Amino acid sequence: MISILAAFAEGKTIIKDAQELKYKESNRIESIAYNLKEMGIEYEIRDDGLKILGNTYILKDSYNFYSFKDHRIAMAFSLVGFVLDNVRVYGCDNVKTSFPDFVEVMEGINGKIKIV
């Protein structure tokens, strides 16, 4: 979630002492970086986290994010749809384990988000 906020904030955000994120449902640092790249966000992967240069996203017709079978990645990148248009997040079946109605709630709040 912090990485999404950092993507839209001014300046740089440094996430450190977060090396345990490499060993969750996915390597969350790599998963976040992959999706930040889709947005055009400037970032740097560090041994223990990320450095994110905020507000460097590129406006595009659509954005395709991947959950990497990680419910937290899926939910975090779904939030991008509140700022950017035509957001799709793929591989979100696992979200049901932590928030069973997440897909319906998000698509109901904001029609710009498509969770598949």
Side-chain angles (χ1 to χ4, degrees), residues 26-87:
S26 70
N27 178 334
R28 288 186 179 150
I29 292 172
E30 292 286 337
S31 300
I32 291 166
Y34 181 94
N35 286 322
L36 290 175
K37 183 176 181 180
E38 167 67 8
M39 294 172 65
I41 295 293
E42 295 177 31
Y43 66 89
E44 175 187 318
I45 295 176
R46 297 176 159 205
D47 288 340
D48 66 343
L50 287 162
K51 179 172 81 172
I52 300 169
L53 185 57
N55 215 16
T56 58
Y57 59 89
I58 297 170
L59 290 176
K60 300 175 9 175
D61 290 335
S62 64
Y63 300 87
N64 295 300
F65 301 120
Y66 296 89
S67 72
F68 298 94
K69 299 181 181 179
D70 187 322
H71 64 281
R72 293 181 192 270
I73 299 296
M75 290 189 288
F77 280 90
S78 295
L79 298 176
V80 173
F82 286 107
V83 179
L84 301 175
D85 290 333
N86 298 316
V87 168

Side-chain angles (χ1 to χ4, degrees), residues 67-113:
S67 72
F68 298 94
K69 299 181 181 179
D70 187 322
H71 64 281
R72 293 181 192 270
I73 299 296
M75 290 189 288
F77 280 90
S78 295
L79 298 176
V80 173
F82 286 107
V83 179
L84 301 175
D85 290 333
N86 298 316
V87 168
R88 289 184 180 269
V89 183
Y90 294 94
C92 296
D93 288 341
N94 52 13
V95 171
K96 293 175 185 172
T97 61
S98 59
F99 190 159
D101 297 327
F102 181 78
V103 172
E104 292 79 14
V105 168
M106 290 299 288
E107 289 180 347
I109 291 172
N110 186 341
K112 298 186 299 183
I113 303 168

